[in-house]
Amino acid sequence: MTKLTVGKRLFWGILSLFLIFAVLFIVFQQAREKQFKIDMLNLHLQDYNNRLADQVESWGRIDGTVVDSFVKSHYIAHLRVTMISTDGSVIYDNRRKDYGNIENHKNRKEVIEALKNGTGFDISRESSTIKGDFFYSATLLPRQHIIIRSALPYDNDLAKSLRADQHYIWFALLMMAILSLTLYRFIRRLDSNIMKLHIFAQRADHGESLETEDLAQFSDDELGEISESIIKIYKRLQKTKEEQNELKRQLTQNVAHELKTPVASIQGYLETIMEHRDISDDNRNMFLERCYAQSKRLTSLLRDISTLNRLDDATGMIEFEDVDVTGIIRQIAKETSLQLEERGMALRTSLPEKIVVKGAHGMIYSIFRNLTDNAIAYAGNNTKVTISADRTSSGEWHFRFFDNGVGVEPRHLPRLFERFYRVDKGRSRKLGGTGLGLAIVKNAILLHGGTISVINRPSGGLQFDFTLA
């Protein structure tokens, strides 16, 4: 059995409601219109009764001949006029004169209502006095203790006149057809979009290609635009995921390559010591020192990789607090003073007394420590490193970190923040660099909502400009 789609179920559900509403509307309108026509006919006969009542009051008595004259002078085709006393006996009838043979009318519906309410009517009741169905309308004259009743034969002509007009039925059916067609066209587009989204979900779930004709084009409406946006977003996410996987693959390869060198060196030195038991103490100490240096490089590399992983995957777990940046820079200046002195370098600061930003203390420390280590390693001997800061109009802190060293070739500038990118690979490894320092700097600044750029200074050296909120 074929399962109905969401669109078809919606179409038939709404159409059923339309049909129910249309039927109820037609039935209600017919009853209402028929009742209106009955009320109008009754009002017309009541008007006749009232005019006759006025005449009876002016005559002061009931005279059959005079009443006959009134009925003839106020002619209505096939009209029957009857006068009934309040006890139900007939005292006048323009169609039958043998009043003694006419049964009592006290139990007639229109008579009962007239005695109770002053007026009454009955529809399509067969007359026991004169054969045939009549429409009766009765009016009570309380002072004369009589009821005037007028009646018209309930024949085909009267039945037709009381029948509800059928034109609005055709109008209702026409509107129903228009609404159904409009609904069908709307639901058809809706169903088409839902089916395409269903195909998209199935293909995405099974990892199949989304570049198919089934998903080429959606209807030109809001739902179509939303559906296309969903697929475009999914494709972008897939592309981003593929790019991330490629970056991770490259990172894994680079990490493996970077780890390979110190591990191989340590292994080689240790094998030399183990295989040559008679090695001199000086050589043994030299090999052990080299092993220690490579192990320090390995530790730095693992630490930097761990820091980058935190910046990539666990930013939500990094807690922010008020961080004293001025204090961090002073701490780094003390920690690197010996290295700076060995190279004849100087670290100068031009900072406010206290710079406080909202951030992660360890990450902000990494920013300034890595920039300082980078300057010590590559700026050159007898150079000067300067750190300055000022407040921007938007409330951020703008930092300038620069040296007057050798700088780098312009072609290297766009790639300085890439992971494991080195301007001089051999020299970097000799200096113990991991190739991750500037990548950590950039990611840590992005974590704090800032931006960073790097240029060669006209007077020589590198300048890093970055912001922290």
Side-chain angles (χ1 to χ4, degrees):
M1 183 177 179
T2 305
K3 186 178 179 181
L4 288 177
T5 63
V6 173
K8 289 180 179 178
R9 291 201 298 270
L10 182 62
F11 173 75
W12 288 113
I14 296 177
L15 188 61
S16 298
L17 291 176
F18 277 171
L19 285 171
I20 294 172
F21 173 78
V23 170
L24 292 176
F25 172 76
I26 290 171
V27 171
F28 170 77
Q29 186 65 18
Q30 277 192 315
R32 184 171 175 271
E33 189 172 350
K34 184 177 180 180
Q35 185 61 45
F36 173 76
K37 290 187 175 183
I38 289 172
D39 291 341
M40 291 302 296
L41 177 59
N42 182 51
L43 185 63
H44 177 63
L45 293 178
Q46 285 290 326
D47 179 65
Y48 185 91
N49 294 345
N50 289 328
R51 283 185 290 159
L52 180 55
D54 291 340
Q55 290 296 319
V56 169
E57 288 186 354
S58 67
W59 297 330
R61 59 187 179 84
I62 298 175
D63 187 327
T65 304
V66 176
V67 176
D68 283 339
S69 176
F70 178 88
V71 172
K72 289 178 183 179
S73 63
H74 296 79
Y75 178 76
I76 297 177
H78 309 297
L79 179 69
R80 180 186 175 193
V81 179
T82 307
M83 291 185 179
I84 308 163
S85 65
T86 53
D87 62 1
S89 58
V90 176
I91 58 178
Y92 172 80
D93 191 286
N94 70 325
R95 303 282 293 275
R96 184 174 173 180
K97 301 302 183 181
D98 53 338
Y99 307 136
N101 296 323
I102 300 176
E103 65 182 32
N104 191 283
H105 283 31
K106 191 172 184 177
N107 294 323
R108 305 293 169 86
K109 179 177 179 294
E110 69 279 5
V111 174
I112 295 172
E113 289 182 359
L115 289 171
K116 182 178 180 181
N117 304 318
T119 63
F121 71 91
D122 194 7
I123 306 170
S124 186
R125 192 191 73 233
E126 184 178 359
S127 172
S128 58
T129 307
I130 299 175
K131 300 304 179 183
D133 294 336
F134 283 83
F135 181 97
Y136 298 97
S137 180
T139 304
L140 175 65
L141 277 65
R143 286 187 294 178
Q144 285 78 18
H145 302 289
I146 62 170
I147 296 170
I148 297 176
R149 186 185 72 178
S150 56
L152 286 173
Y154 199 85
D155 53 15
N156 290 334
D157 292 336
L158 183 58
K160 287 179 181 178
S161 67
L162 294 179
R163 190 178 302 157
D165 191 355
Q166 303 297 312
H167 290 92
Y168 75 90
I169 298 178
W170 295 111
F171 173 77
L173 293 176
L174 177 61
M175 292 302 299
M176 183 69 189
I178 293 173
L179 287 173
S180 299
L181 180 61
T182 304
L183 177 65
Y184 173 76
R185 293 184 63 185
F186 171 77
I187 295 296
R188 185 181 177 186
R189 290 198 301 268
L190 174 68
D191 203 31
S192 175
N193 289 331
I194 292 175
M195 286 300 297
K196 287 181 180 179
L197 282 176
H198 180 65
I199 293 171
F200 155 72
Q202 286 186 324
R203 290 182 180 277
D205 186 46
H206 292 87
E208 299 176 6
S209 173
L210 301 179
E211 304 298 333
T212 63
E213 200 171 308
D214 295 337
L215 304 175
Q217 189 174 6
F218 287 82
S219 60
D220 187 18
D221 54 24
E222 290 82 356
L223 182 59
E225 291 176 2
I226 293 171
S227 302
E228 287 182 349
S229 297
I230 290 173
I231 293 179
K232 287 178 181 177
I233 291 170
Y234 178 81
K235 287 181 177 179
R236 283 200 296 270
L237 289 175
Q238 287 295 96
K239 185 178 180 180
T240 303
K241 186 177 179 181
E242 291 173 1
E243 291 174 350
Q244 289 177 342
N245 290 336
E246 179 62 21
L247 288 173
K248 286 183 179 180
R249 185 184 65 80
Q250 292 178 359
L251 179 62
T252 302
Q253 290 177 345
N254 290 331
V255 169
H257 180 73
E258 293 295 329
L259 292 175
K260 182 179 178 181
T261 301
V263 170
S265 297
I266 293 171
Q267 185 177 357
Y269 293 137
L270 292 177
E271 285 178 353
T272 302
I273 294 173
M274 293 177 65
E275 291 176 0
H276 299 83
R277 302 290 183 179
D278 56 348
I279 193 172
S280 66
D281 291 340
D282 291 341
N283 286 335
R284 180 181 289 105
N285 290 336
M286 179 187 67
F287 288 146
L288 289 174
E289 287 175 0
R290 291 180 178 177
C291 284
Y292 178 68
Q294 292 296 329
S295 69
K296 285 178 64 178
R297 182 186 169 199
L298 191 59
T299 301
S300 298
L301 184 61
L302 293 174
R303 182 186 64 243
D304 287 350
I305 291 172
S306 175
T307 301
L308 279 174
N309 284 337
R310 286 183 65 199
L311 288 170
D312 286 342
D313 302 326
T315 54
M317 299 176 63
I318 299 175
E319 295 183 1
F320 278 30
E321 59 184 342
D322 289 335
V323 179
D324 180 5
V325 179
T326 306
I328 287 177
I329 294 173
R330 288 172 181 166
Q331 177 187 347
I332 293 172
K334 290 180 182 179
E335 293 172 352
T336 58
S337 59
L338 184 59
Q339 294 171 276
L340 291 166
E341 186 178 343
E342 288 176 352
R343 294 178 178 272
M345 300 175 68
L347 178 62
R348 300 285 182 265
T349 59
S350 177
L351 304 169
E353 183 62 28
K354 192 172 185 179
I355 300 174
V356 178
V357 300
K358 200 76 174 177
H361 185 279
M363 293 301 169
I364 293 177
Y365 173 87
S366 295
I367 292 171
F368 291 96
R369 182 57 193 257
N370 279 295
L371 288 174
T372 304
D373 289 342
N374 188 75
I376 293 172
Y378 304 111
N381 295 336
N382 303 312
T383 55
K384 183 171 68 174
V385 179
T386 304
I387 307 174
S388 66
D390 55 76
R391 201 78 178 256
T392 67
S393 58
S394 60
E396 296 178 324
W397 285 102
H398 177 212
F399 293 90
R400 292 183 182 87
F401 191 107
F402 59 91
D403 60 69
N404 61 346
V406 296
V408 299
E409 294 182 26
R411 63 188 177 90
H412 294 299
L413 289 176
R415 302 189 63 186
L416 284 183
F417 298 109
E418 291 184 13
R419 301 176 184 190
F420 296 111
Y421 184 79
R422 292 183 174 91
V423 175
D424 185 344
K425 295 183 180 180
R427 182 165 175 260
S428 296
R429 288 196 176 93
K430 286 181 182 178
L431 294 172
T434 64
L436 295 174
L438 292 182
I440 291 174
V441 169
K442 180 179 180 180
N443 283 274
I445 290 172
L446 292 176
L447 172 68
H448 291 81
T451 58
I452 185 169
S453 61
V454 59
I455 58 171
N456 275 318
R457 290 171 58 83
S459 57
L462 276 180
Q463 176 172 314
F464 294 89
D465 287 88
F466 58 95
T467 58
L468 292 174

